[in-house]
Amino acid sequence: MFRRYLRLLKVRLRASSLLAMQYQADFLLDGLISLFWMASALVPLFVVYQNAQRDIEGWSFGESLLVIGWFTLLQGILEGAINPSLQGVVEHIRKGTLDFVLLKPADAQFLVSTENFLPWRAINLVAALIIFGYGFHQIGRAPSLSGVAISLVLLGASVLLLYSLWILTVCAAFYVVKVDNLTYLFTSIFDAARWPAPVFRGVLAFVFTFVIPLAVMTTFPAEAMLGRLPWTALVWALLGSLLFAFFSRRVWLHSIGRYTSASS
């Protein structure tokens, strides 16, 4: 079963790559625009630290760059692998074409989650590695092997969290047809993940840790690379991501059960 879905994923990735490379000028232009937006994301950080001339909430400029690096990497995964496919679910529901997906002999959530990819977003991975390198150059040391290994484990948890939150957002389309504003709101909230979690206080700190766990997605992996993430935080992050995945799966199955096609 696993090998069957893996082959199906490879087929869909290949189809998306061929489609994207069909118009090479557009492919290169999209990549350049992506680079521009990634560079612009660094500007607020330079402005803040230039004016402050000191650490902010215990985070130096170089350490904050690590958070930006994780944000850049996750933004590429969100906009290149998660968002393009799941945005199509809303259109399927609106046009009544989700029936064709449900009739196929494969899991519907897998099919709608792998329908479309934007391969040029892989440029975010290169940009993130450059930011990590510059960040550690500013700090004056290299990350430990154990820190890198833990941060990679947290990358898996972060992707699972992002995907689960996006599934929950898309499930709203089964109840209210127009969810464009909701997806824009989620994207705007995700922008806050570019800042270290201690910057936020009060209600925002609670929301960004437990409700929309942005701190787990970018600040925790950065702390792991710095070798100062407590083991308890790692365990809670993994358990939390699994809980979000289980909850989003149940909500998806419940939403599919309520779905009525356009022809019924």
mmCIF file of all heavy atoms in Angstrom, residues 108-154:
data_model
loop_
_atom_site.group_PDB
_atom_site.id
_atom_site.type_symbol
_atom_site.label_atom_id
_atom_site.label_comp_id
_atom_site.label_asym_id
_atom_site.label_seq_id
_atom_site.Cartn_x
_atom_site.Cartn_y
_atom_site.Cartn_z
ATOM 1 N N ALA A 108 -8.985 9.855 -0.728
ATOM 2 C CA ALA A 108 -9.328 11.172 -1.267
ATOM 3 C C ALA A 108 -8.430 12.269 -0.715
ATOM 4 O O ALA A 108 -8.051 13.197 -1.446
ATOM 5 C CB ALA A 108 -10.792 11.472 -0.951
ATOM 6 N N GLN A 109 -8.065 12.179 0.567
ATOM 7 C CA GLN A 109 -7.208 13.223 1.156
ATOM 8 C C GLN A 109 -5.829 13.216 0.493
ATOM 9 O O GLN A 109 -5.253 14.269 0.237
ATOM 10 C CB GLN A 109 -7.076 13.011 2.662
ATOM 11 C CG GLN A 109 -6.284 14.122 3.356
ATOM 12 C CD GLN A 109 -6.262 13.971 4.859
ATOM 13 O OE1 GLN A 109 -7.050 13.238 5.441
ATOM 14 N NE2 GLN A 109 -5.352 14.675 5.515
ATOM 15 N N PHE A 110 -5.320 12.011 0.203
ATOM 16 C CA PHE A 110 -4.025 11.925 -0.485
ATOM 17 C C PHE A 110 -4.125 12.518 -1.900
ATOM 18 O O PHE A 110 -3.240 13.258 -2.339
ATOM 19 C CB PHE A 110 -3.573 10.462 -0.564
ATOM 20 C CG PHE A 110 -2.292 10.262 -1.323
ATOM 21 C CD1 PHE A 110 -1.070 10.438 -0.696
ATOM 22 C CD2 PHE A 110 -2.314 9.933 -2.678
ATOM 23 C CE1 PHE A 110 0.117 10.271 -1.403
ATOM 24 C CE2 PHE A 110 -1.130 9.768 -3.385
ATOM 25 C CZ PHE A 110 0.086 9.938 -2.747
ATOM 26 N N LEU A 111 -5.206 12.211 -2.595
ATOM 27 C CA LEU A 111 -5.356 12.679 -3.977
ATOM 28 C C LEU A 111 -5.444 14.207 -4.052
ATOM 29 O O LEU A 111 -4.791 14.833 -4.879
ATOM 30 C CB LEU A 111 -6.600 12.051 -4.604
ATOM 31 C CG LEU A 111 -6.521 10.550 -4.896
ATOM 32 C CD1 LEU A 111 -7.857 10.035 -5.416
ATOM 33 C CD2 LEU A 111 -5.415 10.248 -5.905
ATOM 34 N N VAL A 112 -6.268 14.814 -3.167
ATOM 35 C CA VAL A 112 -6.408 16.281 -3.220
ATOM 36 C C VAL A 112 -5.158 16.984 -2.691
ATOM 37 O O VAL A 112 -4.919 18.146 -3.012
ATOM 38 C CB VAL A 112 -7.653 16.755 -2.434
ATOM 39 C CG1 VAL A 112 -8.920 16.159 -3.011
ATOM 40 C CG2 VAL A 112 -7.536 16.435 -0.948
ATOM 41 N N SER A 113 -4.359 16.272 -1.869
ATOM 42 C CA SER A 113 -3.154 16.892 -1.296
ATOM 43 C C SER A 113 -1.954 16.820 -2.228
ATOM 44 O O SER A 113 -0.923 17.463 -1.967
ATOM 45 C CB SER A 113 -2.794 16.215 0.033
ATOM 46 O OG SER A 113 -3.852 16.325 0.948
ATOM 47 N N THR A 114 -2.039 16.013 -3.293
ATOM 48 C CA THR A 114 -0.895 15.850 -4.200
ATOM 49 C C THR A 114 -1.272 16.197 -5.642
ATOM 50 O O THR A 114 -0.624 15.742 -6.573
ATOM 51 C CB THR A 114 -0.377 14.394 -4.145
ATOM 52 O OG1 THR A 114 -1.452 13.498 -4.484
ATOM 53 C CG2 THR A 114 0.131 14.047 -2.766
ATOM 54 N N GLU A 115 -2.301 16.993 -5.791
ATOM 55 C CA GLU A 115 -2.801 17.281 -7.136
ATOM 56 C C GLU A 115 -1.890 18.212 -7.922
ATOM 57 O O GLU A 115 -1.754 18.100 -9.143
ATOM 58 C CB GLU A 115 -4.202 17.904 -7.034
ATOM 59 C CG GLU A 115 -4.940 17.977 -8.349
ATOM 60 C CD GLU A 115 -6.401 18.361 -8.129
ATOM 61 O OE1 GLU A 115 -6.685 19.573 -8.041
ATOM 62 O OE2 GLU A 115 -7.239 17.464 -8.040
ATOM 63 N N ASN A 116 -1.251 19.131 -7.242
ATOM 64 C CA ASN A 116 -0.443 20.131 -7.965
ATOM 65 C C ASN A 116 0.725 20.587 -7.097
ATOM 66 O O ASN A 116 0.577 20.805 -5.896
ATOM 67 C CB ASN A 116 -1.327 21.332 -8.324
ATOM 68 C CG ASN A 116 -0.622 22.310 -9.213
ATOM 69 O OD1 ASN A 116 0.293 21.953 -9.955
ATOM 70 N ND2 ASN A 116 -1.018 23.571 -9.146
ATOM 71 N N PHE A 117 1.895 20.735 -7.721
ATOM 72 C CA PHE A 117 3.087 21.228 -7.030
ATOM 73 C C PHE A 117 3.712 22.361 -7.845
ATOM 74 O O PHE A 117 3.543 22.426 -9.070
ATOM 75 C CB PHE A 117 4.127 20.113 -6.850
ATOM 76 C CG PHE A 117 3.676 18.984 -5.974
ATOM 77 C CD1 PHE A 117 3.141 17.826 -6.528
ATOM 78 C CD2 PHE A 117 3.771 19.073 -4.597
ATOM 79 C CE1 PHE A 117 2.712 16.786 -5.731
ATOM 80 C CE2 PHE A 117 3.351 18.023 -3.785
ATOM 81 C CZ PHE A 117 2.815 16.880 -4.357
ATOM 82 N N LEU A 118 4.410 23.256 -7.150
ATOM 83 C CA LEU A 118 5.165 24.321 -7.826
ATOM 84 C C LEU A 118 6.651 24.066 -7.578
ATOM 85 O O LEU A 118 7.209 24.514 -6.561
ATOM 86 C CB LEU A 118 4.757 25.699 -7.272
ATOM 87 C CG LEU A 118 3.286 26.073 -7.436
ATOM 88 C CD1 LEU A 118 3.016 27.453 -6.814
ATOM 89 C CD2 LEU A 118 2.904 26.088 -8.912
ATOM 90 N N PRO A 119 7.323 23.309 -8.471
ATOM 91 C CA PRO A 119 8.708 22.885 -8.205
ATOM 92 C C PRO A 119 9.703 24.030 -8.090
ATOM 93 O O PRO A 119 10.743 23.879 -7.429
ATOM 94 C CB PRO A 119 9.028 21.981 -9.405
ATOM 95 C CG PRO A 119 8.026 22.302 -10.444
ATOM 96 C CD PRO A 119 6.805 22.767 -9.739
ATOM 97 N N TRP A 120 9.426 25.196 -8.725
ATOM 98 C CA TRP A 120 10.392 26.290 -8.638
ATOM 99 C C TRP A 120 10.492 26.840 -7.217
ATOM 100 O O TRP A 120 11.421 27.573 -6.883
ATOM 101 C CB TRP A 120 10.044 27.416 -9.610
ATOM 102 C CG TRP A 120 8.643 27.923 -9.518
ATOM 103 C CD1 TRP A 120 7.572 27.492 -10.237
ATOM 104 C CD2 TRP A 120 8.156 28.950 -8.658
ATOM 105 N NE1 TRP A 120 6.441 28.179 -9.874
ATOM 106 C CE2 TRP A 120 6.775 29.088 -8.921
ATOM 107 C CE3 TRP A 120 8.749 29.780 -7.721
ATOM 108 C CZ2 TRP A 120 5.979 30.018 -8.252
ATOM 109 C CZ3 TRP A 120 7.958 30.704 -7.055
ATOM 110 C CH2 TRP A 120 6.597 30.814 -7.318
ATOM 111 N N ARG A 121 9.535 26.462 -6.335
ATOM 112 C CA ARG A 121 9.607 26.884 -4.943
ATOM 113 C C ARG A 121 10.748 26.195 -4.182
ATOM 114 O O ARG A 121 11.059 26.544 -3.040
ATOM 115 C CB ARG A 121 8.283 26.602 -4.249
ATOM 116 C CG ARG A 121 7.299 27.751 -4.339
ATOM 117 C CD ARG A 121 7.817 28.922 -3.548
ATOM 118 N NE ARG A 121 6.918 30.056 -3.578
ATOM 119 C CZ ARG A 121 7.130 31.187 -2.930
ATOM 120 N NH1 ARG A 121 8.225 31.323 -2.202
ATOM 121 N NH2 ARG A 121 6.292 32.170 -3.013
ATOM 122 N N ALA A 122 11.386 25.188 -4.822
ATOM 123 C CA ALA A 122 12.541 24.531 -4.211
ATOM 124 C C ALA A 122 13.685 25.511 -3.999
ATOM 125 O O ALA A 122 14.609 25.248 -3.228
ATOM 126 C CB ALA A 122 13.001 23.362 -5.075
ATOM 127 N N ILE A 123 13.603 26.659 -4.670
ATOM 128 C CA ILE A 123 14.628 27.695 -4.505
ATOM 129 C C ILE A 123 14.661 28.193 -3.056
ATOM 130 O O ILE A 123 15.682 28.695 -2.576
ATOM 131 C CB ILE A 123 14.379 28.855 -5.493
ATOM 132 C CG1 ILE A 123 15.650 29.657 -5.672
ATOM 133 C CG2 ILE A 123 13.242 29.771 -5.035
ATOM 134 C CD1 ILE A 123 15.568 30.628 -6.826
ATOM 135 N N ASN A 124 13.549 28.045 -2.337
ATOM 136 C CA ASN A 124 13.515 28.443 -0.920
ATOM 137 C C ASN A 124 14.490 27.624 -0.089
ATOM 138 O O ASN A 124 15.042 28.116 0.896
ATOM 139 C CB ASN A 124 12.101 28.267 -0.368
ATOM 140 C CG ASN A 124 11.188 29.414 -0.745
ATOM 141 O OD1 ASN A 124 11.027 29.693 -1.932
ATOM 142 N ND2 ASN A 124 10.586 30.074 0.229
ATOM 143 N N LEU A 125 14.692 26.347 -0.482
ATOM 144 C CA LEU A 125 15.631 25.490 0.252
ATOM 145 C C LEU A 125 17.046 26.049 0.135
ATOM 146 O O LEU A 125 17.780 26.130 1.129
ATOM 147 C CB LEU A 125 15.569 24.061 -0.291
ATOM 148 C CG LEU A 125 16.638 23.098 0.246
ATOM 149 C CD1 LEU A 125 16.519 22.955 1.757
ATOM 150 C CD2 LEU A 125 16.518 21.734 -0.435
ATOM 151 N N VAL A 126 17.428 26.447 -1.076
ATOM 152 C CA VAL A 126 18.765 27.021 -1.286
ATOM 153 C C VAL A 126 18.910 28.314 -0.483
ATOM 154 O O VAL A 126 19.921 28.545 0.191
ATOM 155 C CB VAL A 126 18.990 27.293 -2.789
ATOM 156 C CG1 VAL A 126 20.360 27.925 -3.020
ATOM 157 C CG2 VAL A 126 18.857 26.003 -3.587
ATOM 158 N N ALA A 127 17.869 29.164 -0.543
ATOM 159 C CA ALA A 127 17.915 30.437 0.187
ATOM 160 C C ALA A 127 18.025 30.194 1.695
ATOM 161 O O ALA A 127 18.778 30.892 2.399
ATOM 162 C CB ALA A 127 16.662 31.250 -0.130
ATOM 163 N N ALA A 128 17.279 29.196 2.193
ATOM 164 C CA ALA A 128 17.322 28.896 3.633
ATOM 165 C C ALA A 128 18.724 28.452 4.053
ATOM 166 O O ALA A 128 19.229 28.868 5.105
ATOM 167 C CB ALA A 128 16.296 27.812 3.966
ATOM 168 N N LEU A 129 19.378 27.622 3.219
ATOM 169 C CA LEU A 129 20.740 27.163 3.553
ATOM 170 C C LEU A 129 21.716 28.335 3.589
ATOM 171 O O LEU A 129 22.611 28.399 4.446
ATOM 172 C CB LEU A 129 21.186 26.112 2.530
ATOM 173 C CG LEU A 129 20.442 24.770 2.581
ATOM 174 C CD1 LEU A 129 20.905 23.852 1.457
ATOM 175 C CD2 LEU A 129 20.641 24.088 3.931
ATOM 176 N N ILE A 130 21.544 29.285 2.655
ATOM 177 C CA ILE A 130 22.414 30.472 2.652
ATOM 178 C C ILE A 130 22.193 31.308 3.918
ATOM 179 O O ILE A 130 23.145 31.786 4.548
ATOM 180 C CB ILE A 130 22.136 31.313 1.386
ATOM 181 C CG1 ILE A 130 22.585 30.541 0.138
ATOM 182 C CG2 ILE A 130 22.849 32.660 1.457
ATOM 183 C CD1 ILE A 130 22.191 31.196 -1.168
ATOM 184 N N ILE A 131 20.920 31.471 4.306
ATOM 185 C CA ILE A 131 20.610 32.249 5.514
ATOM 186 C C ILE A 131 21.173 31.551 6.758
ATOM 187 O O ILE A 131 21.729 32.202 7.653
ATOM 188 C CB ILE A 131 19.084 32.442 5.635
ATOM 189 C CG1 ILE A 131 18.574 33.312 4.489
ATOM 190 C CG2 ILE A 131 18.724 33.090 6.972
ATOM 191 C CD1 ILE A 131 17.060 33.409 4.399
ATOM 192 N N PHE A 132 21.044 30.201 6.810
ATOM 193 C CA PHE A 132 21.620 29.461 7.942
ATOM 194 C C PHE A 132 23.135 29.699 8.013
ATOM 195 O O PHE A 132 23.693 29.935 9.090
ATOM 196 C CB PHE A 132 21.358 27.955 7.787
ATOM 197 C CG PHE A 132 19.920 27.559 8.035
ATOM 198 C CD1 PHE A 132 19.359 26.492 7.347
ATOM 199 C CD2 PHE A 132 19.140 28.244 8.947
ATOM 200 C CE1 PHE A 132 18.042 26.126 7.564
ATOM 201 C CE2 PHE A 132 17.818 27.886 9.173
ATOM 202 C CZ PHE A 132 17.269 26.822 8.481
ATOM 203 N N GLY A 133 23.799 29.615 6.859
ATOM 204 C CA GLY A 133 25.250 29.812 6.819
ATOM 205 C C GLY A 133 25.644 31.193 7.298
ATOM 206 O O GLY A 133 26.583 31.349 8.104
ATOM 207 N N TYR A 134 24.912 32.223 6.824
ATOM 208 C CA TYR A 134 25.226 33.605 7.228
ATOM 209 C C TYR A 134 24.913 33.810 8.713
ATOM 210 O O TYR A 134 25.642 34.511 9.427
ATOM 211 C CB TYR A 134 24.414 34.579 6.370
ATOM 212 C CG TYR A 134 24.742 36.024 6.633
ATOM 213 C CD1 TYR A 134 26.029 36.513 6.437
ATOM 214 C CD2 TYR A 134 23.767 36.907 7.106
ATOM 215 C CE1 TYR A 134 26.344 37.837 6.693
ATOM 216 C CE2 TYR A 134 24.062 38.234 7.353
ATOM 217 C CZ TYR A 134 25.353 38.691 7.154
ATOM 218 O OH TYR A 134 25.663 40.007 7.413
ATOM 219 N N GLY A 135 23.821 33.184 9.176
ATOM 220 C CA GLY A 135 23.455 33.316 10.587
ATOM 221 C C GLY A 135 24.532 32.754 11.501
ATOM 222 O O GLY A 135 24.942 33.399 12.471
ATOM 223 N N PHE A 136 25.022 31.552 11.193
ATOM 224 C CA PHE A 136 26.072 30.948 12.033
ATOM 225 C C PHE A 136 27.394 31.697 11.886
ATOM 226 O O PHE A 136 28.202 31.731 12.813
ATOM 227 C CB PHE A 136 26.236 29.468 11.699
ATOM 228 C CG PHE A 136 25.245 28.593 12.413
ATOM 229 C CD1 PHE A 136 24.170 28.040 11.736
ATOM 230 C CD2 PHE A 136 25.367 28.353 13.773
ATOM 231 C CE1 PHE A 136 23.238 27.254 12.393
ATOM 232 C CE2 PHE A 136 24.438 27.563 14.444
ATOM 233 C CZ PHE A 136 23.363 27.020 13.752
ATOM 234 N N HIS A 137 27.625 32.324 10.717
ATOM 235 C CA HIS A 137 28.815 33.169 10.566
ATOM 236 C C HIS A 137 28.729 34.361 11.523
ATOM 237 O O HIS A 137 29.736 34.744 12.143
ATOM 238 C CB HIS A 137 28.909 33.657 9.116
ATOM 239 C CG HIS A 137 29.993 34.663 8.891
ATOM 240 N ND1 HIS A 137 31.333 34.331 8.916
ATOM 241 C CD2 HIS A 137 29.926 36.013 8.669
ATOM 242 C CE1 HIS A 137 32.055 35.423 8.696
ATOM 243 N NE2 HIS A 137 31.231 36.461 8.551
ATOM 244 N N GLN A 138 27.529 34.938 11.666
ATOM 245 C CA GLN A 138 27.341 36.055 12.590
ATOM 246 C C GLN A 138 27.506 35.597 14.043
ATOM 247 O O GLN A 138 28.033 36.342 14.879
ATOM 248 C CB GLN A 138 25.943 36.644 12.408
ATOM 249 C CG GLN A 138 25.735 37.398 11.100
ATOM 250 C CD GLN A 138 26.467 38.726 11.082
ATOM 251 O OE1 GLN A 138 26.475 39.440 12.076
ATOM 252 N NE2 GLN A 138 27.097 39.055 9.972
ATOM 253 N N ILE A 139 27.030 34.375 14.334
ATOM 254 C CA ILE A 139 27.144 33.856 15.704
ATOM 255 C C ILE A 139 28.597 33.499 16.040
ATOM 256 O O ILE A 139 29.036 33.629 17.177
ATOM 257 C CB ILE A 139 26.230 32.609 15.868
ATOM 258 C CG1 ILE A 139 24.763 33.023 15.676
ATOM 259 C CG2 ILE A 139 26.406 31.974 17.236
ATOM 260 C CD1 ILE A 139 23.809 31.847 15.561
ATOM 261 N N GLY A 140 29.338 33.042 15.034
ATOM 262 C CA GLY A 140 30.748 32.733 15.244
ATOM 263 C C GLY A 140 31.040 31.279 15.547
ATOM 264 O O GLY A 140 32.118 30.946 16.062
ATOM 265 N N ARG A 141 30.103 30.404 15.259
ATOM 266 C CA ARG A 141 30.352 28.961 15.452
ATOM 267 C C ARG A 141 29.428 28.172 14.531
ATOM 268 O O ARG A 141 28.508 28.740 13.932
ATOM 269 C CB ARG A 141 30.111 28.560 16.902
ATOM 270 C CG ARG A 141 28.663 28.691 17.360
ATOM 271 C CD ARG A 141 28.545 28.215 18.797
ATOM 272 N NE ARG A 141 27.203 28.383 19.325
ATOM 273 C CZ ARG A 141 26.226 27.500 19.179
ATOM 274 N NH1 ARG A 141 26.460 26.389 18.499
ATOM 275 N NH2 ARG A 141 25.032 27.717 19.698
ATOM 276 N N ALA A 142 29.692 26.850 14.444
ATOM 277 C CA ALA A 142 28.868 25.984 13.593
ATOM 278 C C ALA A 142 27.875 25.209 14.461
ATOM 279 O O ALA A 142 28.091 25.046 15.667
ATOM 280 C CB ALA A 142 29.767 25.011 12.833
ATOM 281 N N PRO A 143 26.781 24.721 13.888
ATOM 282 C CA PRO A 143 25.837 23.920 14.679
ATOM 283 C C PRO A 143 26.404 22.547 14.969
ATOM 284 O O PRO A 143 27.235 22.030 14.222
ATOM 285 C CB PRO A 143 24.615 23.835 13.756
ATOM 286 C CG PRO A 143 25.176 23.941 12.381
ATOM 287 C CD PRO A 143 26.341 24.886 12.482
ATOM 288 N N SER A 144 25.950 21.944 16.067
ATOM 289 C CA SER A 144 26.382 20.580 16.399
ATOM 290 C C SER A 144 25.604 19.581 15.545
ATOM 291 O O SER A 144 24.509 19.886 15.054
ATOM 292 C CB SER A 144 26.131 20.298 17.886
ATOM 293 O OG SER A 144 24.735 20.330 18.144
ATOM 294 N N LEU A 145 26.161 18.386 15.372
ATOM 295 C CA LEU A 145 25.483 17.350 14.585
ATOM 296 C C LEU A 145 24.157 16.946 15.231
ATOM 297 O O LEU A 145 23.149 16.736 14.549
ATOM 298 C CB LEU A 145 26.394 16.127 14.445
ATOM 299 C CG LEU A 145 27.588 16.298 13.495
ATOM 300 C CD1 LEU A 145 28.445 15.033 13.497
ATOM 301 C CD2 LEU A 145 27.111 16.606 12.073
ATOM 302 N N SER A 146 24.167 16.858 16.573
ATOM 303 C CA SER A 146 22.924 16.490 17.263
ATOM 304 C C SER A 146 21.869 17.585 17.088
ATOM 305 O O SER A 146 20.679 17.290 16.927
ATOM 306 C CB SER A 146 23.202 16.247 18.745
ATOM 307 O OG SER A 146 23.713 17.430 19.351
ATOM 308 N N GLY A 147 22.313 18.850 17.109
ATOM 309 C CA GLY A 147 21.377 19.953 16.914
ATOM 310 C C GLY A 147 20.747 19.917 15.532
ATOM 311 O O GLY A 147 19.536 20.143 15.374
ATOM 312 N N VAL A 148 21.554 19.609 14.510
ATOM 313 C CA VAL A 148 21.040 19.512 13.138
ATOM 314 C C VAL A 148 20.050 18.352 13.028
ATOM 315 O O VAL A 148 18.987 18.471 12.407
ATOM 316 C CB VAL A 148 22.193 19.341 12.134
ATOM 317 C CG1 VAL A 148 21.651 19.051 10.744
ATOM 318 C CG2 VAL A 148 23.065 20.585 12.110
ATOM 319 N N ALA A 149 20.407 17.209 13.662
ATOM 320 C CA ALA A 149 19.528 16.032 13.597
ATOM 321 C C ALA A 149 18.176 16.326 14.252
ATOM 322 O O ALA A 149 17.117 15.990 13.706
ATOM 323 C CB ALA A 149 20.206 14.849 14.287
ATOM 324 N N ILE A 150 18.198 16.980 15.421
ATOM 325 C CA ILE A 150 16.940 17.302 16.119
ATOM 326 C C ILE A 150 16.123 18.302 15.313
ATOM 327 O O ILE A 150 14.894 18.198 15.226
ATOM 328 C CB ILE A 150 17.248 17.853 17.528
ATOM 329 C CG1 ILE A 150 17.878 16.764 18.386
ATOM 330 C CG2 ILE A 150 15.974 18.370 18.196
ATOM 331 C CD1 ILE A 150 18.391 17.268 19.716
ATOM 332 N N SER A 151 16.794 19.273 14.709
ATOM 333 C CA SER A 151 16.054 20.274 13.918
ATOM 334 C C SER A 151 15.405 19.629 12.691
ATOM 335 O O SER A 151 14.325 20.047 12.270
ATOM 336 C CB SER A 151 16.983 21.420 13.501
ATOM 337 O OG SER A 151 18.020 20.942 12.671
ATOM 338 N N LEU A 152 16.042 18.597 12.127
ATOM 339 C CA LEU A 152 15.429 17.902 10.985
ATOM 340 C C LEU A 152 14.191 17.115 11.426
ATOM 341 O O LEU A 152 13.202 17.030 10.687
ATOM 342 C CB LEU A 152 16.456 16.961 10.337
ATOM 343 C CG LEU A 152 17.589 17.662 9.569
ATOM 344 C CD1 LEU A 152 18.593 16.639 9.045
ATOM 345 C CD2 LEU A 152 17.026 18.483 8.403
ATOM 346 N N VAL A 153 14.265 16.540 12.630
ATOM 347 C CA VAL A 153 13.074 15.862 13.181
ATOM 348 C C VAL A 153 11.948 16.884 13.360
ATOM 349 O O VAL A 153 10.782 16.624 13.032
ATOM 350 C CB VAL A 153 13.416 15.186 14.525
ATOM 351 C CG1 VAL A 153 12.155 14.663 15.199
ATOM 352 C CG2 VAL A 153 14.401 14.046 14.296
ATOM 353 N N LEU A 154 12.317 18.062 13.870
ATOM 354 C CA LEU A 154 11.315 19.113 14.070
ATOM 355 C C LEU A 154 10.790 19.645 12.737
ATOM 356 O O LEU A 154 9.655 20.132 12.666
ATOM 357 C CB LEU A 154 11.912 20.258 14.890
ATOM 358 C CG LEU A 154 12.039 19.955 16.392
ATOM 359 C CD1 LEU A 154 12.882 21.024 17.080
ATOM 360 C CD2 LEU A 154 10.655 19.892 17.034
#
